[in-house]
Amino acid sequence: MLSQFFKSDKLEAGTDEAGRGCLAGPVTAAAIILPEHFKNQKLNDSKQLSEKIRFDLKPILETQAISFAVTHLQPTIIDEINILNASLKAMGDSILKLNPRPIYIIVDGNRPLEKTFYNSKNLTGTFNNIPFTSIVKGDSKFMSIAAASVLAKTYRDEYMDKIHEEFPMYNWKQNKGYPTKEHREAIRKYGVTKYHRLSFKLLPTQLHLDI
C-alpha cells in the first residue's frame, strides 16, 4: 500500500519522469501536490498499471490535485546535456511550475535535483530553497510520486501518439519510442528523424545511419 506523505501532509510535491530509455521523443516529467485526504485504490507505480487504468487516473489526478505540472524536454536538449541531467531538469522545471509552491519535495530515484547541500548518504538536499529527498523506487512507495509517474507516462504517450502521425513508419503509437526490434528496423530502413536522440545508440552499429 502506498504511503500518503513522507515528511509533510501540507503541500508535499512528488515528481517522476517517463521515457528515459527511449530512442525517440522527449523525456517527460510531472510534479504534483495531492490534497491531504486524497485516496485512490487504483493508484500505483505507472509501470504496474495497464494503459486503461493510467488514462482513467489521469483526469482524476488533474481535477483533484492541489497543483500539477508536466514538462517535455526534447531530444536536442537530451543530446546536449545527457539523459540523466535532462530527466532531473524536467522534474525540476515541473516543480517550478507548481502553484502554490511546495514546502517539501519527494523525488523518484537515487539522484539529487540539485547538489546544493546535497548529502549523498541519505539523498537529501534543497532545490530552489525547498528541501527534498530522493527515494529509490519512490513510485511504488508514495502516492504523490506514483501520481507523478502516471501523469508523466500518460502525457508522454499522448505526445508520442501525436508525432506518430508525422512519422507513422516508426510505429511510435505502439512502441512509444522505446528500443523495440520493430523501431530499430525502421531506423535502419528509414534513417533518423528530428525526434530521435542522436546521442543514443540507435542501432547495434551506427555505420548504417546517415547522421
Side-chain angles (χ1 to χ4, degrees):
M1 179 177 289
L2 298 175
S3 298
Q4 198 157 11
F5 300 104
F6 178 73
K7 281 280 189 182
S8 172
D9 60 1
K10 299 286 192 302
L11 301 182
E12 181 173 275
T15 186
D16 198 3
E17 52 76 25
R20 187 167 160 179
C22 294
L23 303 181
V27 62
T28 301
I32 188 168
I33 302 173
L34 292 174
E36 182 178 352
H37 301 295
F38 179 85
K39 293 187 184 301
N40 188 289
Q41 295 299 317
K42 292 182 179 180
L43 181 60
N44 202 347
D45 167 14
S46 64
K47 296 184 292 295
Q48 305 301 317
L49 302 175
S50 68
E51 181 179 48
K52 181 182 185 307
I53 291 177
R54 287 195 297 267
F55 277 95
D56 286 346
L57 284 168
K58 181 174 178 283
I60 295 172
L61 297 172
E62 291 172 333
T63 56
Q64 294 191 28
I66 293 173
S67 180
F68 77 92
V70 178
T71 301
H72 299 296
L73 281 191
Q74 299 300 332
T76 51
I77 298 176
I78 295 170
D79 290 337
E80 180 182 352
I81 66 175
N82 79 46
I83 186 59
L84 173 59
N85 288 330
S87 299
L88 295 170
K89 176 174 169 50
M91 288 191 282
D93 288 354
S94 296
I95 291 164
L96 294 176
K97 295 175 186 176
L98 294 174
N99 185 18
R101 169 188 167 104
I103 65 171
Y104 204 88
I105 305 162
I106 50 176
V107 185
D108 184 62
N110 63 350
R111 300 284 181 168
L113 283 174
E114 192 170 75
K115 293 183 179 179
T116 309
F117 306 121
Y118 175 67
N119 184 327
S120 61
K121 185 176 180 180
N122 57 14
L123 302 173
T124 62
T126 63
F127 173 77
N128 199 37
N129 295 318
I130 305 169
F132 74 81
T133 296
S134 297
I135 301 169
V136 176
K137 297 184 179 178
D139 50 5
S140 63
K141 297 175 182 177
F142 293 95
M143 283 188 183
S144 61
I145 300 181
S149 77
V150 169
L151 290 180
K153 174 63 174 167
T154 52
Y155 272 82
R156 187 180 188 280
D157 283 357
E158 288 176 337
Y159 184 98
M160 297 306 295
D161 289 350
K162 181 178 179 180
I163 65 173
H164 166 88
E165 303 302 322
E166 190 176 352
F167 293 99
M169 67 283 283
Y170 299 95
N171 200 18
W172 290 331
K173 191 175 183 69
Q174 182 66 36
N175 62 54
K176 307 306 182 191
Y178 281 93
T180 63
K181 181 179 179 181
E182 175 192 41
H183 188 189
R184 283 195 152 128
E185 284 302 313
I187 293 171
R188 190 186 301 277
K189 182 175 181 179
Y190 301 106
V192 297
T193 71
K194 60 186 177 182
Y195 297 113
H196 281 98
R197 303 173 184 179
L198 301 185
S199 58
F200 279 45
K201 190 173 183 180
L202 301 177
L203 293 175
T205 172
Q206 298 283 23
L207 296 179
H208 298 289
L209 284 178
D210 182 16
I211 60 174

